[in-house]
Amino acid sequence: MAKSVSQDAISTILANPSPDSSSDIPEIVVQVLDLKLTGNRYTFNASDGKMKLRAIFPSNMSSEIITGSVQNKGLVRILDYTLNDIPNKSEKYLIVTKCEVVSPALETEIKAEVETEEHDTVLKKPKLENEARYEAKADASGIILKPKQEIVSKSAAQIVHEQRTNMAPSSRMAMTRRVHPLVSLNPYQGNWMIKVRLTSKGNMRTYKNARGEGCVFNVELTDEDGTQIQATMFNEAARKFYEKFQLGKVYYISRGTLKVANKQFKTVQNDYEMTLNENSVVEEASNEETFIPETKFNFVPIDQLGPYVNGRELVDIIGVVQGVNPVSNIKRKIDNENIPKRDLIVADETKKTVVVSLWNELANNVGQELFDNADKSPIVAIKSLKVGDFQGVSLSTLGKSSVMINPDIPEAKKLRSWYDSEGKGSSMASIGSGLSPSSKNGARSMYTDRVSLTHITSNPSLGDEKPAFFSIKAFISLIRPEQAMWYRACKTCSKKVTEAVGSGYWCEGCQKNDEECNLRYIMVSKISDTRGEAWVSAFNEEAEKIVGCSADELDKLKSEQGDIDGYQQKLKEATWVPHLFRVSVAQNEYNNEKRQRITVRAVAPINFAEESRFLLEEIKKMRNPQ
């Protein structure tokens, strides 16, 4: 007997937009039409041959769609769903939260006029409670009505009542109210309840604006489908829920509001963000932790951190701890408060290392545990790290960051196996060194994404959302001798110092006076290649490689010896020398106008053997464009 859709399936859904539980849902089989990827979800038209309804698959069905289990014109059985209104339209939108495959793609689209009575009989509608419970049984003499056997005499209400006896309040709540998946929520929805795990918790922060002072903190919530959402609490709500929310626990949450997520501050993949107020309900779900996934990571290999430098996007990493420094205290400039900091050196299978700075409580708690066990090379999985450019690439924790030591996840087991069998004896290199190659052997990163200067200058939108990184081969064509090429810097922290009253130099960062200071470059120069030219900024280490001496030595030529000609000659000698540059491109606002800023991140002399190999590869690509 051929499989087909359920009769009037769409009408059944429209008549029952929000069933209380999956047991209340009749058998609903629909045909999948117009299946396509929209954003990061698959949408389709659910058809019963008579009517169609726009629908969206749950995220856990994506793999089945990719592998071909779910196909266009195929059949699926909907086991649970939510029906939402489309704003400003009279249409409805079906959010499928649970379903199963019935049939692969059929030859044609099912139409009402070709459906047979037999199909409707096979996939018949469920019987109502007040119908007589008789089943038909056919034999040679015809049809005989016979009562069903083993009928439970208890009513459904009695069974539910017995099941609810001695249950925890959260369990009773789950049975009396429908739990909505996060994917089904939108700002236009009425009452809802979600069951989620707290997978990230930020620190309580204070703020001050035109409306006064207050406090705020954020959390990240994950439901059983793996969908995440960020929730924010202000003032009274923040104080009410800060201690209640514990990392890793599962909660029932209701009476919150949703709005479109601000892309600038969004930390999870969700179009909406949630706000909880003092009237919101948050209740811990006991003994149900196993149904909600643990902290969800999206690991970035260490050798691929470069594009994230100084960007807004946060990253997760997993690696083997190679070293742990003692805790130190850094004085915060805004209020002179001492902030604990501890640096880790972490490596992964790419054989690259990176410095991770733990701040505040993480430096003292998790950091101390890692310090005590550093000789055992523990594995750490760290969520929500900011990528900076200190020493080329560096990572720092934020208030919402979380650190797991030796986590029980497949990635950790794979990394441990690699490290014990191979990694322990391998030589590791800092990811920063990959952006600053030595003269002995050029780094591969200087050749993998080589572009011309016109590629950068002719694309004014480059670096709009986050800095873009490129490698170029160019000449220094001009260094203006009249520019302010350096600043006075503290010998300890390299921050700018001012002349102290009396004598010496005052460092605001270190809060101390020193008799001497260093000079550090802040140089602007013009670079040129065969296609164009551009102005670039270079800081101390990179400028030293360009000029060929330190800022202190250049200052002596200019001032102490009074040798202006020698100073200008030194700058002239630095021009028209070929270099390999690693640059970042970002957008800066000046006089309410966005301008492109190109910053030199690394400089290396030309390695002619490597350059020749690179050119030969380029020629080969031109001959064989595939």
Side-chain angles (χ1 to χ4, degrees), residues 465-528:
E465 294 187 359
K466 65 179 180 180
F469 287 78
F470 301 100
S471 297
I472 55 177
K473 175 190 171 185
F475 298 83
I476 299 290
S477 54
L478 177 62
I479 304 175
R480 288 176 177 167
E482 69 275 10
Q483 68 176 299
M485 292 183 60
W486 49 72
Y487 69 95
R488 292 171 178 169
C490 173
K491 285 189 169 184
T492 304
C493 68
S494 298
K495 291 184 178 179
K496 187 176 181 179
V497 297
T498 55
E499 290 189 21
V501 178
S503 65
Y505 302 92
W506 172 255
C507 175
E508 189 68 29
C510 298
Q511 290 288 300
K512 69 176 184 179
N513 196 54
D514 203 329
E515 290 300 319
E516 296 180 351
C517 67
N518 289 333
L519 297 182
R520 292 179 64 85
Y521 281 114
I522 45 169
M523 185 177 76
V524 176
S525 58
K526 182 186 286 186
I527 62 174
S528 305

Side-chain angles (χ1 to χ4, degrees), residues 23 54 110 169 201 219 224 253 271 274 284 286 314 337 352 364 372 397-398 408 421 443 484 495 525 538 600:
S23 60
R54 287 301 298 159
I110 296 175
K201 178 183 177 181
V219 295
E224 63 182 352
I253 299 175
D271 293 334
M274 184 181 298
E284 184 179 344
S286 58
L314 304 181
E337 183 182 350
K352 294 290 185 180
N364 289 326
D372 295 337
T397 60
L398 304 173
D408 186 17
S421 61
K495 291 184 178 179
S525 58
V600 176

